[in-house]
Amino acid sequence: DPIDVIVKCKYPNRRQHYKDSEFLQSRAILASTNETVDHINDYVLSLISGIITYFLIVILSIAKTPI
């Protein structure tokens, strides 16, 4: 998938920096059409959403663990 390759190259260590606006802004991806931009944005948002979901599951699991 070419979008996956582009995102992996432009956003290395994205799991550690997904909240860092400077990291994201300094690695802008230019595209020839708005449709391509939408595809890339949707893909990146799905990755970030997955990271956030994972953290929420971990937090909920920890919260249910008795001390």
Side-chain angles (χ1 to χ4, degrees):
D1 180 19
I3 291 177
D4 182 57
V5 173
I6 291 168
V7 170
K8 284 181 179 176
C9 289
K10 292 297 285 184
Y11 300 107
N13 302 318
R14 65 187 173 277
R15 290 179 182 236
Q16 291 80 20
H17 300 288
Y18 73 95
K19 288 185 176 180
D20 183 353
S21 61
E22 186 176 320
F23 173 82
L24 298 172
Q25 290 172 359
S26 68
R27 289 162 176 81
I29 299 172
L30 301 178
S32 58
T33 66
N34 286 338
E35 183 179 348
T36 303
V37 171
D38 289 340
H39 286 299
I40 294 170
N41 284 341
D42 290 343
Y43 181 75
V44 172
L45 289 173
S46 75
L47 294 175
I48 292 171
S49 174
I51 293 168
I52 292 169
T53 301
Y54 171 78
F55 285 131
L56 287 176
I57 290 170
V58 170
I59 289 168
L60 290 174
S61 296
I62 291 170
K64 291 181 181 180
T65 305
I67 298 176

